[in-house]
Amino acid sequence: MSTTSSSERENGAVHAPTGPGKKLAGKTAVVTGASSGIGAGIARALGAEGATVVVGYATSKNGADSVVRSIEAAGGSAVAAQVDMSESTDVIRFFDEVKATHGTVDVLVNNAGFAIFEMIDDLTEEAFHQQFNLNVLGYFLAIREAVKHFGDSGGSIINVSSILSTDPYLASSVYAATKGAVDTMTFALARELGPRGIRVNSILPGHTNTPATDGHWTGELGEKLLAGTPLGRFGEPEDIAPVAVFLASEDSHWVTGESIRAAGGVRGVGY
């Protein structure tokens, strides 16, 4: 944490981070769903800024181990850890192990998620619960357990949402609803946890190239998406990661309860 005093803030002093040069030196960051895609990109970026990163994964141990190796190769510190974010007992076990191994948690990035894109006539109750159990309940369970292990100086919680929370497209009704719930939960918990020095924000990525979307942004759909993106290309995990670093670090010490779009300027593409 910065050593800037409250009186210095009140007098308008610049709130500059202190430390050995890396924004997250000495911090422990937990990233769920970090074996590939946006989660992996965020994990690497946090590691590059000095955080010890817990790379959470559900099934892809090889992917998580690869992310760990890339962080270590860049001079950082990381460990892979398996967890089913939709199961309360497993989430409790996971965070207890993080606490036992690393002490306090300073940053939580909720990224583990699941999507089924189907029209309402084809959606099942099972598909509904699969998405809400991981995308909403999983975030809630992670936050509930993580805050038990934040230190007295607080920390940062970052929920990875989606632009579909505000601009849903065809066949995305349930997935978009889960992300709308995430954004609402973000604002509510920012109010609740602010007095404890814990900031809560969400990132809303746009159309981002990941293994999960491989081959998806093609044909007429891809053309429409690209045409509606002012910056003229689809996103990459490396485009989202710097926003997470900002929210995890003291650079964002006065930012909480916000939903930050990282989508190349795309808004309301009609399709």
Side-chain angles (χ1 to χ4, degrees), residues 73-144:
S77 176
V79 61
Q82 192 277 334
V83 59
D84 181 347
M85 298 307 303
S86 67
E87 291 291 337
S88 177
T89 54
D90 206 37
V91 174
I92 292 170
R93 185 270 311 163
F94 172 78
F95 277 98
D96 283 347
E97 290 180 2
V98 171
K99 171 71 173 180
T101 304
H102 302 286
T104 58
V105 174
D106 303 289
V107 178
L108 167 66
V109 180
N110 271 319
N111 177 70
F114 182 69
I116 297 176
F117 295 107
E118 289 182 334
M119 302 296 280
I120 190 65
D121 290 340
D122 299 316
L123 274 168
T124 64
E125 291 182 28
E126 180 184 11
F128 177 94
H129 288 297
Q130 282 179 306
Q131 292 176 88
F132 267 91
N133 284 351
L134 184 56
N135 300 358
V136 182
L137 177 61
Y139 281 27
F140 163 77
L141 293 174
I143 293 170
R144 186 186 68 179

Side-chain angles (χ1 to χ4, degrees), residues 107-111 156-160 199 201-203 244 247-248:
V107 178
L108 167 66
V109 180
N110 271 319
N111 177 70
S156 175
I157 295 170
I158 302 163
N159 295 322
V160 177
R199 297 177 294 105
N201 295 284
S202 63
I203 302 174
L247 292 174

Side-chain angles (χ1 to χ4, degrees), residues 23-47:
K23 294 180 179 181
L24 300 173
K27 307 292 187 183
T28 297
V30 175
V31 186
T32 70
S35 61
S36 66
I38 290 173
I42 290 174
R44 293 188 184 100
L46 298 180

Side-chain angles (χ1 to χ4, degrees), residues 104-232:
T104 58
V105 174
D106 303 289
V107 178
L108 167 66
V109 180
N110 271 319
N111 177 70
F114 182 69
I116 297 176
F117 295 107
E118 289 182 334
M119 302 296 280
I120 190 65
D121 290 340
D122 299 316
L123 274 168
T124 64
E125 291 182 28
E126 180 184 11
F128 177 94
H129 288 297
Q130 282 179 306
Q131 292 176 88
F132 267 91
N133 284 351
L134 184 56
N135 300 358
V136 182
L137 177 61
Y139 281 27
F140 163 77
L141 293 174
I143 293 170
R144 186 186 68 179
E145 296 309 310
V147 296
K148 298 175 183 178
H149 306 311
F150 276 74
D152 293 338
S153 58
S156 175
I157 295 170
I158 302 163
N159 295 322
V160 177
S161 178
S162 168
I163 62 168
L164 297 191
S165 70
T166 58
D167 298 318
Y169 57 62
L170 203 63
S172 71
S173 59
V174 174
Y175 179 75
T178 68
K179 294 306 184 178
V182 166
D183 290 342
T184 301
M185 179 169 59
T186 294
F187 181 61
L189 288 175
R191 285 186 165 182
E192 181 177 332
L193 298 175
R196 295 162 64 174
I198 300 173
R199 297 177 294 105
V200 189
N201 295 284
S202 63
I203 302 174
L204 282 61
H207 313 299
T208 307
N209 290 322
T210 70
T213 62
D214 185 31
H216 188 63
W217 316 133
T218 59
E220 183 180 357
L221 172 63
E223 292 175 3
K224 288 183 177 180
L225 294 176
L226 197 59
T229 306
L231 291 185

